[in-house]
Amino acid sequence: MLEAFYHEGNDDLGCLLLHGFTGSPSEMRFLGEKLAAYGWTVNGIMLSGHGTTPEDMVRTGWKDWARDAEAGVRGLRRHCSRVAAIGLSMGGLLSVYLAEKGLVDAVISMNTPMVLQDWRARLAGLAKPFVHYVAKAEVSGRLAAERFAYGKIPLRPLDSLNKAVPGVRRKLGLVRCPVLVMQSRRDKTVSPRSADILWRGLSGARTERIFWENSGHILTLGPEREAVALETARFLQTMLGAG
């Protein structure tokens, strides 16, 4: 379930699905299947250093993940006339990055980190020479069964992600394609203030914003997943006329 996935659909719209930091395509699979039912081409890629071990991830960083995302767009462009980037958490940040570069036709950004809830995460750069990993809180129940993610966080890649956020934030005004900003109220990883920062920064784009009241950080597998998929499809149909 953790592997990358691909659903071949029409040659009009391709959906690039981007998972989060230390996660895997498993957290985007449900959404991908729902979007594929509309006849769209869907590609859920695996970002470098993910889906194996935290030790593999240590050797990767933002430049690798950005390169992966750009390659995913190029792959879809070979078959589809338009591409939408749909990302969760770090995947949302990558989606916005792609829009800033003018590479995609629409973005759905889910729980994208502009501000993290835990201030200690912002100290990764200071801690990484002394501490290489920090443990994550254990996850149980349906989310644990459906999602593959590392049980510990490598601090060197986290520092790379932290350093990328300000660069993406500074260039939000470059985005011209439609953007749907989704944010969970119960997100314990990304501060809901992040959605407000995105909303204000995306002044040059047609932007919608939705807050989800009952979901946590993994919005795509939370209790409102069905509604999240419906809103994603509605936005693509409304903004792009995708059939």
Side-chain angles (χ1 to χ4, degrees):
M1 291 293 290
L2 69 89
E3 295 88 357
F5 56 88
Y6 185 85
H7 300 287
E8 185 173 355
N10 61 41
D11 59 3
D12 175 28
L13 179 61
C15 299
L16 179 65
L17 271 60
L18 298 163
H19 64 79
F21 182 78
T22 72
S24 68
S26 60
E27 59 199 22
M28 306 302 288
R29 187 176 297 275
F30 175 84
L31 177 60
E33 291 173 352
K34 292 293 183 179
L35 298 179
Y38 288 84
W40 302 326
T41 297
V42 176
N43 189 15
I45 67 172
M46 179 85 76
L47 297 171
S48 294
H50 293 75
T52 54
T53 66
E55 289 72 24
D56 284 340
M57 191 178 179
V58 168
R59 297 186 289 272
T60 66
W62 175 259
K63 290 183 179 179
D64 301 294
W65 310 321
R67 185 165 55 244
D68 295 338
E70 291 177 24
V73 173
R74 288 195 299 272
L76 283 171
R77 289 283 184 201
R78 287 195 283 269
H79 306 285
C80 304
S81 57
R82 296 181 293 178
V83 173
I86 304 165
L88 172 69
S89 191
M90 182 177 77
L93 193 70
L94 286 166
S95 298
V96 174
Y97 162 82
L98 293 171
E100 290 174 350
K101 297 195 65 150
L103 298 178
V104 293
D105 301 284
V107 165
I108 292 89
S109 152
M110 304 178 181
N111 294 342
T112 295
M114 294 286 106
V115 179
L116 297 176
Q117 290 280 40
D118 190 342
W119 61 268
R120 293 172 296 180
R122 298 194 290 273
L123 302 180
L126 296 175
K128 69 182 181 183
F130 313 103
V131 180
H132 299 303
Y133 304 92
V134 294
K136 295 165 72 173
E138 288 192 17
V139 177
S140 59
R142 190 168 78 170
L143 180 58
E146 292 183 299
R147 174 182 178 243
F148 175 87
Y150 295 149
K152 59 183 180 180
I153 300 172
L155 292 190
R156 188 174 297 275
L158 177 58
D159 182 46
S160 179
L161 174 59
N162 286 344
K163 290 176 178 175
V165 171
V168 174
R169 182 171 172 175
R170 283 194 300 269
K171 296 179 181 179
L172 290 174
L174 298 178
V175 176
R176 293 293 178 266
C177 70
V179 181
L180 173 58
V181 177
M182 294 191 187
Q183 178 63 51
S184 301
R185 295 282 193 192
R186 298 187 179 185
D187 195 334
K188 294 181 180 179
T189 302
V190 170
S191 170
R193 289 191 291 125
S194 294
D196 297 324
I197 293 169
L198 283 169
W199 178 259
R200 292 193 301 269
L202 293 165
S203 56
R206 289 177 293 166
T207 311
E208 292 185 17
R209 179 173 49 173
I210 300 175
F211 286 97
W212 299 94
E213 302 298 330
N214 301 310
S215 296
H217 185 58
I218 309 302
L219 179 59
T220 50
L221 293 178
E224 296 164 304
R225 63 172 78 184
E226 292 279 359
V228 167
L230 287 173
E231 286 294 339
T232 299
R234 176 201 60 77
F235 183 79
L236 294 173
Q237 289 172 323
T238 301
M239 292 298 183
L240 299 182

